[in-house]
Amino acid sequence: MEYEPNYYQDRVALNVLAGSVTNAKDIYQAAKGHVVCGVLTKNYQSNESCITDLKKYQKAVNNAISVGLGAGDPNQSKMVSEVSKVIQPQHVNQVFTGVGYSRALLNQDKTVINGLVSPTGKVGYVNIATGPLSSKEKTTEVPVTTAIALLKDMGGSSFKFFPMHGLAHKEEYEYIAKACADNNFSLEPTGGIDLENFEAILDIALKAGVHRVLPHVYSSIIDQNTGLTKPEAVAKLFEIIKVKLD
């Protein structure tokens, strides 16, 4: 699979959901290629049907694909890994415990794999118990820097901090941003991000010095009538990014 020189070279890119192949094309154009289009494995009954569909998306947007779980569903972890092995996408969403399996099946270090960690309410700590079994147990709180080191050990590329509920966990997020910057690790703020708080959330990461930021902006920019992400909203977000990076 040939990789287009867009998302991989970006300091900031968007992650938004694509509701159809046409929607993905529109999103890709609206962001001038600085985006990965999320497709959720949870929406498919089998690996085969998901792979068949994802190949159509790949062709439409130069492989700017993000293979998703579906609201962080840990039960999708295995499917995400197995689908990604075939698809070889630019980006993979994973629960914390699924990162190593995804990297092993991909058998390359180019694809970005995030590891889902959740807020704890305590600055400097994150919950890493986000896997199929671990999520049913008590919260496992570990220092942010330890979580980063563990993800690096497993072949992970970035922190997916979810669910953020917008700026509800601002102090925790600020600490995470600084830790990611200090440890040369990417950051993916996720959950409750919209056109109103996007700039503030992005600003925190950039001011901390994070080398690559991939904000996930999902339900807030989806047309409730069509279920499709609004290209005009993506264009607005991209304009904010351009201003911040100038």
Side-chain angles (χ1 to χ4, degrees):
M1 175 64 64
E2 292 297 322
Y3 292 92
E4 290 294 314
N6 45 42
Y7 165 59
Y8 290 110
Q9 296 177 0
D10 290 339
R11 184 179 181 193
V12 181
L14 293 166
N15 188 320
V16 299
L17 291 177
S20 70
V21 173
T22 300
N23 192 213
K25 288 180 180 178
D26 292 341
I27 289 165
Y28 190 73
Q29 184 174 6
K32 310 297 184 188
H34 302 277
V35 66
V36 283
C37 303
V39 180
L40 306 179
T41 57
K42 194 171 184 176
N43 293 337
Y44 295 89
Q45 294 296 314
S46 67
N47 289 10
E48 292 71 24
S49 61
C50 186
I51 290 167
T52 297
D53 232 21
L54 276 171
K55 286 180 177 178
K56 298 173 185 175
Y57 282 89
Q58 275 188 309
K59 187 176 180 180
V61 295
N62 297 317
N63 197 34
I65 298 297
S66 172
V67 179
L69 297 158
D73 186 349
N75 295 314
Q76 293 300 120
S77 178
K78 188 170 183 286
M79 185 175 179
V80 163
S81 293
E82 292 172 349
V83 166
S84 297
K85 176 186 178 181
V86 178
I87 293 298
Q88 296 287 310
Q90 287 192 12
H91 183 270
V92 172
N93 291 273
Q94 256 304 356
V95 295
F96 191 91
T97 55
V99 169
Y101 186 50
S102 281
R103 182 61 74 194
L105 289 187
L106 284 165
N107 196 31
Q108 42 90 349
D109 60 8
K110 186 71 172 174
T111 294
V112 172
I113 307 174
N114 67 33
L116 195 160
V117 296
S118 299
T120 61
K122 294 168 60 177
V123 175
Y125 291 82
V126 289
N127 172 31
I128 64 169
T130 60
L133 297 178
S134 57
S135 60
K136 298 175 184 178
E137 302 296 327
K138 291 182 179 179
T139 296
T140 302
E141 297 179 358
V142 302
V144 169
T145 51
T146 300
I148 290 173
L150 287 167
L151 283 173
K152 284 185 174 183
D153 280 346
M154 294 187 288
S157 317
S158 62
F159 244 27
K160 180 178 181 178
F161 190 47
F162 171 84
M164 280 180 56
H165 302 295
L167 287 164
H169 297 276
K170 183 180 177 183
E171 291 184 358
E172 290 175 75
Y173 174 60
E174 288 173 335
Y175 186 98
I176 286 170
K178 184 64 168 62
C180 285
D182 291 345
N183 290 278
N184 193 32
F185 208 56
S186 300
L187 178 56
E188 303 186 25
T190 314
I193 304 177
D194 55 33
L195 287 167
E196 283 66 48
N197 61 28
F198 177 80
E199 184 174 354
I201 289 169
L202 177 59
D203 217 31
I204 289 168
L206 293 178
K207 286 182 177 178
V210 181
H211 79 284
R212 177 186 281 166
V213 191
L214 186 71
H216 294 228
V217 190
Y218 285 178
S219 58
S220 67
I221 59 170
I222 291 177
D223 186 315
Q224 297 305 307
N225 294 318
T226 65
L228 303 176
T229 292
K230 303 172 186 175
E232 63 272 21
V234 174
K236 288 179 182 178
L237 293 170
F238 181 55
E239 285 302 314
I240 293 171
I241 291 171
K242 286 199 298 183
V243 170
K244 286 293 174 185
L245 295 180
D246 279 348

